[in-house]
Amino acid sequence: MDRATVVDEVFETVASTAPEVRAALPGRRTETEDQNPSGELRLAADDYADELLEERLGAISGVGQYASEETQEAVDTGEGLAVAVDPLDGSSNLKPNNTMGTIVGVYDAPLPATGRELVGAAYVLYGPITTMAAAVEGEVTEYVVTDGEREAVREELTLPDEPAIYGFGGRVPDWPDEFAAYAEEIESDESLRLRYGGSMIGDVNQILTYGGVFAYPALESAPEGKLRLQFEGNPVGYIVEAAGGRSSDGERSLLDVEPDDLHGRVPVHVGSTGLIDRLEDALN
Ligand code: FDP
């Protein structure tokens, strides 16, 4: 199978698994005793989504490695591309019935790898409807997923020219002074409105829709921020850049950040080019 076919099969598999993940959410709101490798309590829903995706993505011929945010080590599944999956991003949003997502990055290199090795990335958003955004070869397509089938609703998706929204994570008193000054500048811009839900995929999808900036910055208490490079930063950076926007760890594209560990974290800033340029100016 050629690379493009494998990437498409990965996307197809994530889409076809989405209805099961979604249907299982109501009955799986309880926490398990386990913690994920980042020290967070796992929900039964994370475990279920992880098991389904490992089994199905690992079975694709042409996928050689499966890594999940939920488990310590990557699993060898044969020869081929590596997939990094966050089975249920934003799972603390299950209790209040807020949005959540499933993220996949397809790397043409063993993990951990830089985002420059990505050959495709996608996410499913479990909102009022189930949608999927997928980027490959510099193009982003948005789909509606019904009964596990994808139907393209926006092709060659690009960020709107006029940014409209912003959303920043982390405790405000924990923001470094430079980021706090940037946030103040953004807040005082009358053309921008706050839209923050606390579920990264929901928040990033708003940026893809309306244009603007999403950040989960470095914190005084956590200079690496909260989000994980392999599973979150790289895939969303790849998608936003393919849509004509920018991503940054504060200094450089997220795709240029050298990974130190499979579960390593990174400050994440993604969005409209001008707003990320201004962020880098403010931080440096
Ligand atoms: P969650 O802890 O609910 O899984 O990385 C996971 C994530 O959610 C992101 O989806 C979200 O942007 C961020 O963490 C929210 O973090 P806070 O707990 O600091 O609000």
Side-chain angles (χ1 to χ4, degrees):
M1 247 198 288
D2 66 41
R3 209 170 69 176
T5 312
V6 178
V7 172
D8 198 58
E9 198 158 325
V10 168
F11 292 170
E12 194 68 39
T13 303
V14 171
S16 66
T17 304
E20 286 157 272
V21 173
R22 185 172 191 127
L25 294 177
R28 291 174 185 266
R29 289 170 103 178
T30 53
E31 282 167 357
T32 63
E33 294 295 298
D34 301 342
Q35 293 189 347
N36 71 16
S38 302
E40 293 144 357
L41 280 179
R42 300 176 60 169
L43 289 164
D46 295 277
D47 290 348
Y48 177 69
D50 186 26
E51 279 163 27
L52 280 182
L53 289 165
E54 178 182 339
E55 188 184 302
R56 293 176 190 176
L57 294 175
I60 296 173
S61 113
V63 169
Q65 202 183 21
Y66 175 91
S68 158
E69 198 183 277
E70 299 304 323
T71 46
Q72 193 65 47
E73 306 286 343
V75 181
D76 191 337
T77 60
E79 281 286 302
L81 303 175
V83 293
V85 176
D86 186 352
L88 213 48
D89 178 70
S91 51
S92 70
N93 292 275
L94 184 52
K95 265 191 194 166
N97 190 24
N98 193 7
T99 61
M100 279 171 294
T102 295
I103 313 171
V104 61
V106 189
Y107 295 81
D108 192 2
L111 300 174
T114 74
R116 295 288 169 209
E117 305 288 355
L118 280 167
V119 290
Y123 61 75
V124 171
L125 173 62
Y126 307 101
I129 53 175
T130 306
T131 57
M132 182 174 193
V136 67
E137 288 177 5
E139 270 186 25
V140 182
T141 308
E142 186 184 49
Y143 303 91
V144 168
V145 180
T146 312
D147 298 331
E149 299 287 331
R150 290 180 291 169
E151 188 199 336
V153 288
R154 282 199 291 170
E155 282 172 306
E156 295 180 36
L157 189 161
T158 53
L159 292 179
D161 291 338
E162 297 297 328
I165 62 163
Y166 65 94
F168 303 143
R171 290 186 61 247
V172 176
D174 210 6
W175 288 347
D177 290 346
E178 295 77 11
F179 185 81
Y182 171 72
E184 213 168 293
E185 189 186 312
I186 295 294
E187 281 160 12
S188 65
D189 184 332
E190 288 183 4
S191 65
L192 298 172
R193 287 183 309 282
L194 171 64
R195 289 285 174 88
Y196 183 71
S199 177
M200 187 190 66
I201 287 306
D203 290 325
V204 167
N205 200 59
Q206 298 213 49
I207 301 297
L208 272 192
T209 309
Y210 294 123
V213 52
F214 165 80
Y216 200 109
L219 302 176
E220 294 289 358
S221 62
E224 302 299 314
K226 176 178 184 191
L227 305 179
R228 278 132 287 213
L229 179 64
Q230 300 297 295
F231 304 100
E232 296 170 307
N234 275 341
V236 299
Y238 183 88
I239 293 167
V240 172
E241 289 194 17
R246 284 202 59 206
S247 77
S248 177
D249 71 344
E251 281 181 32
R252 60 183 76 75
S253 164
L254 289 171
L255 307 182
D256 288 322
V257 175
E258 286 296 332
D260 47 13
D261 178 76
L262 182 62
H263 293 279
R265 299 173 192 263
V266 69
V268 169
H269 317 84
V270 293
S272 303
T273 300
L275 297 179
I276 301 295
D277 290 347
R278 277 164 65 187
L279 169 100
E280 287 182 345
D281 288 346
L283 297 195
N284 296 294

